[in-house]
Amino acid sequence: MVDNKVVAEVRNVSKTYTVLPTGTFAIKDIFLKGKIPFRTRRIRALNNVSFELYNKEKLGIIGRNGSGKSTIVNLIMGALKPDTGTVTTDGKIMKLETGAGFDNEMNARQNVMLNSSLMGLPKSTAEKRYREIVEFAELEEYADLPIKHLSKGMKSRLAFASAMYMEPDIVLLDEFFGGGGDARFKKKSDEVFKERILQDKTLIIVSHSLPIIEQYCDRVLWLDKGLVKMVGDPKEVTSAYSQDNR
Amino acid sequence: MSSSKLSKQIILAFNGPRLERILALAQYDYTKRYHGSHLGMIWALIKPIFQLTVYYFIFTGVFGASEDNYALLIFLGLITWMLFSESTNRSMTVLKSKAFLIKTIQVNPVDFFISNVLTAFVGFGLALAIYIVASLVMGVGYSWQVIYLPFLLLTIFILCLGVSLILAVLNIYFQDIEQLWSMVAMFGMWTSGVFGRSEVFIQAFPLLRYINPFLAIISNMRNILLYSSGPNWNDYAYTTIYAITILIVGLVLFDRNYFQALERL
């Protein structure tokens, strides 16, 4: 059950991306064009957003594309810095995102062992976790192949199993749900998800799927063009969001 | 970890779990470097043995070098320089190559750079072992002052890490930095006294001593590992202060620009 301890706090956060159309500039531009080509575009992603995430809470974040959902997740991850405001977190965080988290050139074992180590697991525990992860993801036969040779479904299963067994305190699911695979695997992953995440971990789910948000979340945050439009009970927020989208 | 905590994280003292993470990263990098080749890590041994053999036959057999153990002199200079050039060259792609981790797990980004330098040190360690065996075979004696070697290596480590961080920041904004750095590195190699005694370079261009710290570093490496003497402590003090200053500049620049780099990954 959710308790009163705040494990992440987003306070008055604004974030604008400054984008160079060319990414970086080349020295030839200075000579040919006579100036440093800083033609930047500014894209506002979040505007004065505040909320708290409580221990063991399951928070859903919804909103249209470009509303700032992934920006929030990356700020909590520490992979982005707000322009103004503060983001503070407490605990080990892991994000699940389709196609991310693994080095494609290396095999499942090398990837899992590295991830475990960065998550702070001692080597002996990491070895044990690795066996559990590969067994759960049903990838024993493929564990020595570079990840690039695995199918999309296999990679999803591996990512899902990693999050289940690496003992993060806060799990961020960015448009990622379930371990992929057939009905039997889905049933198995639902069970382990309930047992290992829903019971005692803190969770943020970013999803366009309102049934998933309603099924798993205690509270929902609706973002609209970088602003918090509504926050509260999952049923109320998703139904207001659905009406707005009609 | 909040963004405001990043600078504290960067200079945080090393503790057990952090060291374990850094070693795991270094081990991973090293495995990846030789991944897919049939001989794997044996290449890390074959290359320096081949290098040393070629130098020996060219400089002793073909040119008949008058300097004693000229092949060893060059080999030691070159492996020390390669340690620096390899770790700094790779530093420019460190963040890109670790984007898959940065996006999913909270990490201290400086650890990637520390492990990158450590990986270069592993290769250097193997080459140094070959140097020591070859030097003993060729009759080079070692004095007790060889115990100062770790101090010299620590200075090189600090310098490599500082320059790596500065290059990583420059690489965020200037796409030409890799080409520019390869030219700077070439200048550095030819002015480090890799191919001759450092005194010759300092006599010809006294200012070089202050421009290129590797002139003094390589000279001190030879003092300990080739000439059975101790380090020149003036040189040691100067290069260490130089390295620490570069590291502080690197950490400050990196702290201020790291998130800009992440937005562009």
Side-chain angles (χ1 to χ4, degrees), chain B residues 84-99:
Chain B
F84 175 73
S85 74
E86 193 185 317
S87 56
T88 52
N89 272 332
R90 285 179 184 270
S91 72
M92 289 177 275
T93 52
V94 159
L95 289 178
K96 205 177 238 177
S97 69
K98 294 293 182 304

Side-chain angles (χ1 to χ4, degrees), chain A residues 28-189:
Chain A
K28 74 172 194 296
D29 293 331
I30 302 174
F31 293 114
L32 294 178
K33 296 171 189 166
K35 60 177 182 178
I36 298 173
F38 271 137
R39 289 179 294 116
T40 53
R41 269 189 67 194
R42 290 174 70 77
I43 301 164
R44 167 148 289 196
L46 292 175
N47 192 0
N48 201 26
V49 169
S50 296
F51 67 92
E52 286 101 24
L53 181 67
Y54 295 95
N55 194 26
K56 300 180 188 176
E57 185 181 24
K58 279 76 195 165
L59 177 75
I61 301 181
I62 56 173
R64 290 181 187 167
N65 290 331
S67 58
K69 304 185 295 293
S70 292
T71 302
I72 288 265
V73 168
N74 286 328
L75 283 162
I76 291 173
M77 268 292 299
L80 278 181
K81 184 183 179 183
D83 301 336
T84 56
T86 54
V87 179
T88 47
T89 58
D90 182 9
K92 290 185 287 180
I93 303 180
M94 190 171 188
K95 184 172 88 167
L96 282 178
E97 188 182 307
T98 309
F102 298 120
D103 182 340
N104 276 319
E105 299 300 320
M106 305 300 267
N107 63 33
R109 184 188 160 78
Q110 289 158 331
N111 272 292
V112 169
M113 292 303 283
L114 179 66
N115 277 284
S116 305
S117 207
L118 294 180
M119 286 296 287
L121 298 183
K123 207 169 178 183
S124 53
T125 315
E127 280 283 355
K128 195 168 161 251
R129 292 283 174 265
Y130 162 71
R131 285 193 291 275
E132 287 170 332
I133 287 168
V134 170
E135 192 188 330
F136 180 83
E138 299 171 10
L139 291 174
E140 293 100 326
E141 276 181 63
Y142 307 97
D144 57 343
L145 286 180
I147 296 282
K148 66 182 175 189
H149 295 308
L150 303 188
S151 72
K152 213 172 160 186
M154 287 172 176
K155 283 186 209 171
S156 291
R157 272 166 21 206
L158 186 63
F160 178 80
S162 299
M164 295 305 110
Y165 288 92
M166 279 187 199
E167 302 170 15
D169 301 306
I170 304 174
V171 181
L172 311 174
L173 300 179
D174 191 353
E175 301 293 358
F176 182 102
F177 214 81
D182 52 27
R184 185 187 56 81
F185 190 82
K186 195 178 172 310
K187 188 168 173 273
K188 186 168 94 166
S189 53

Side-chain angles (χ1 to χ4, degrees), chain B residues 241-261:
Chain B
I241 292 168
Y242 193 108
I244 291 172
T245 311
I246 293 279
L247 179 61
I248 292 169
V249 171
L251 284 170
V252 170
L253 281 177
F254 189 76
D255 192 19
R256 291 188 180 168
N257 293 280
Y258 167 63
F259 288 102
Q260 193 64 35

